[in-house]
């Protein structure tokens, strides 16, 4: 579906059109760039992504390419073009990518994992091989996100979901430097060529100041380190109190989150109460109301809509 731009655009727009969210995130998969680097990817029913010939040696890392995103992932670029045309300044468009450590985890483990044993084995036994892989992934993601920005993404989000599985010391060695590299080299003040042909100002399809968001699941032990990643916004899960998170990072960054997705299985009334509490702790300014992880498939649409409505009503009260 994500390789068919018309379908990807349609799916991207559904939360905006059905629920009334404030922005649109393009529909895609974080492993698209990994496939473009040369690994064979299958999506297996009831199992998820499976990568053939998982990375186990330096020679495999050397064989990986840093792909041209426009040539190897044109469907992503076309999806962005279609979405910008459809939205026409109504709402901002968010692009995204997986972060090097999280993508590297899939590549070494061969898919999803519960214990991250293979990548941690390589971290401790062959750290230089892992660093080479992560550096090559960072180069790939920089090109990929810049291509998204050039085509019209107005915000970008970096998902380092599995970096929370690392100790604070390992996060500082194996994840944070590559997050920093990505954030340092993406075009946050993009003013280059406008590929859409719709902006006569020459500022580019996104204009200046493209904000960047970093998400890590289970991030309470590394929050201050994340604040030094170069991201403008930290997206956090529900395991840390939002007021505590704000106290710990101060005004260095904005925050996004952090309702437990399971709370959407409650009632509209309980959802509204939880949203009020999050808004109180988030403080309004510098806070993007969101879930602390992905929405669960069994959540009723009316409950998702109740979450959005409660957030909008609560924000008006705070303002």
């Amino acid at each position: 579906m994500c390789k068919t731009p018309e379908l990807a655009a349609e799916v991207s727009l559904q939360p905006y059109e059905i629920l009334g969210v404030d922005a649109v995130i393009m529909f895609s998969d974080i492993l698209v760039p990994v496939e473009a680097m040369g690994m064979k990817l299958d999506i297996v029913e009831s199992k998820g992504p499976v990568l053939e010939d998982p990375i186990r040696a330096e020679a495999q890392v050397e064989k990986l390419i840093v792909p041209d995103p426009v040539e190897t992932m044109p469907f992503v670029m076309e999806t962005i073009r279609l979405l910008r045309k459809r939205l026409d300044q109504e709402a901002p468009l968010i692009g995204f990518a997986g972060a090097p450590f999280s993508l590297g985890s899939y590549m070494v483990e061969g898919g999803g994992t519960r214990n991250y044993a293979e990548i941690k084995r390589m971290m401790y036994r062959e750290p230089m091989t892992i660093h080479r892989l992560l550096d090559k992934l960072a180069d790939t993601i920089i090109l990929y996100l810049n291509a998204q920005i050039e085509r019209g993404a107005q915000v970008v989000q970096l998902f380092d979901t599995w970096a929370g599985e690392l100790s604070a010391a390992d996060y500082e060695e194996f994840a944070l430097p590559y997050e920093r590299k990505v954030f340092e080299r993406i075009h946050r003040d993009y003013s280059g060529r406008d590929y859409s042909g719709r902006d006569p100002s020459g500022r580019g399809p996104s204009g200046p100041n493209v904000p960047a968001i970093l998400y890590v699941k289970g991030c309470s032990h590394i929050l201050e380190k994340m604040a030094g990643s170069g991201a403008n916004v930290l997206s956090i899960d529900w395991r840390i109190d939002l007021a505590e998170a704000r106290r710990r990072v101060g005004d260095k960054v904005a925050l996004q989150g952090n309702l437990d997705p399971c709370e959407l299985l409650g009632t509209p009334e309980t959802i509204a109460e939880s949203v009020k509490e999050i808004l109180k702790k988030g403080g309004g300014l510098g806070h993007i109301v969101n879930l602390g992880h992905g929405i669960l498939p069994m959540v009723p649409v009316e409950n998702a809509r109740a979450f959005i409505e409660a957030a909008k009503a609560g924000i008006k009260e705070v303002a």
Side-chain angles (χ1 to χ4, degrees):
M1 189 179 289
C2 71
K3 291 182 178 179
T4 307
E6 293 77 11
L7 292 177
E10 181 182 342
V11 173
S12 303
L13 289 166
Q14 284 186 354
Y16 176 66
E17 293 174 341
I18 296 172
L19 303 178
V21 293
D22 291 328
V24 173
I25 187 164
M26 72 166 185
F27 177 80
S28 189
D29 191 283
I30 64 168
L31 293 178
V32 164
V34 170
E35 188 177 41
M37 293 175 76
M39 292 193 76
K40 188 177 186 316
L41 169 66
D42 288 318
I43 305 296
V44 179
E45 186 77 24
S46 77
K47 189 173 182 180
V50 175
L51 289 156
E52 189 177 286
D53 195 19
I55 301 294
R56 293 287 190 274
E58 185 178 357
Q60 292 172 283
V61 176
E62 293 307 315
K63 285 182 181 179
L64 296 169
I65 67 167
V66 176
D68 181 322
V70 178
E71 291 181 2
T72 60
M73 298 168 271
F75 44 88
V76 174
M77 309 307 146
E78 177 63 8
T79 297
I80 292 172
R81 188 192 70 80
L82 291 173
L83 286 169
R84 281 302 304 270
K85 182 178 180 182
R86 163 63 182 82
L87 289 169
D88 192 25
Q89 306 301 327
E90 284 180 21
L93 176 62
I94 306 172
F96 75 90
F101 178 78
S102 292
L103 294 183
S105 297
Y106 281 105
M107 296 167 81
V108 174
E109 299 287 344
T113 179
R114 291 184 181 275
N115 53 29
Y116 302 87
E118 291 298 339
I119 191 166
K120 289 188 176 183
R121 186 205 306 269
M122 289 191 74
M123 284 163 46
Y124 304 138
R125 290 192 175 193
E126 300 180 59
M128 295 311 297
T129 300
I130 287 295
H131 280 298
R132 178 67 183 124
L133 173 62
L134 296 173
D135 197 54
K136 190 169 275 192
L137 279 163
D139 289 339
T140 297
I141 295 309
I142 290 162
L143 292 175
Y144 183 49
L145 287 178
N146 278 336
Q148 292 182 33
I149 292 168
E150 289 166 5
R151 266 66 184 176
Q154 295 155 294
V155 182
V156 291
Q157 181 154 338
L158 192 66
F159 288 92
D160 211 353
T161 308
W162 308 130
E165 298 293 329
L166 298 171
S167 68
D170 286 342
Y171 173 77
E172 198 158 18
E173 179 176 355
F174 294 101
L176 182 59
Y178 302 101
E179 294 167 354
R180 281 180 177 150
K181 181 177 179 179
V182 171
F183 289 133
E184 284 171 0
R185 299 190 188 182
I186 57 173
H187 299 158
R188 243 100 61 91
D189 58 348
Y190 179 72
S191 58
R193 179 180 174 188
D194 175 15
Y195 288 85
S196 71
R198 300 178 64 250
D199 182 2
S201 71
R203 293 168 56 205
S206 303
N209 303 319
V210 175
I213 305 167
L214 173 64
Y215 175 76
V216 176
K217 184 181 179 184
C219 63
S220 59
H221 64 302
I222 54 172
L223 193 63
E224 289 86 352
K225 297 180 188 300
M226 289 170 61
S229 66
N232 304 99
V233 184
L234 300 185
S235 183
I236 59 178
D237 67 11
W238 63 96
R239 294 173 178 87
I240 181 171
D241 183 83
L242 196 60
E244 180 191 344
R246 173 52 68 203
R247 177 183 59 77
R248 286 171 58 183
V249 301
D251 59 359
K252 294 178 184 176
V253 290
L255 294 175
Q256 176 171 285
N258 65 334
L259 188 73
D260 183 341
C262 288
E263 292 208 39
L264 295 192
L265 298 174
T267 66
E269 291 74 24
T270 62
I271 292 166
E273 285 303 312
S274 296
V275 169
K276 282 182 183 178
E277 190 66 20
I278 284 175
L279 283 167
K280 188 189 305 180
K281 292 176 178 179
L285 277 175
H287 175 214
I288 301 170
V289 183
N290 210 327
L291 300 179
H293 196 247
I295 191 167
L296 299 170
M298 70 281 288
V299 169
V301 172
E302 57 269 25
N303 282 18
R305 190 178 290 117
F307 169 60
I308 302 300
E309 290 173 354
K312 288 187 174 183
I315 289 169
K316 284 181 181 178
E317 288 180 15
V318 171

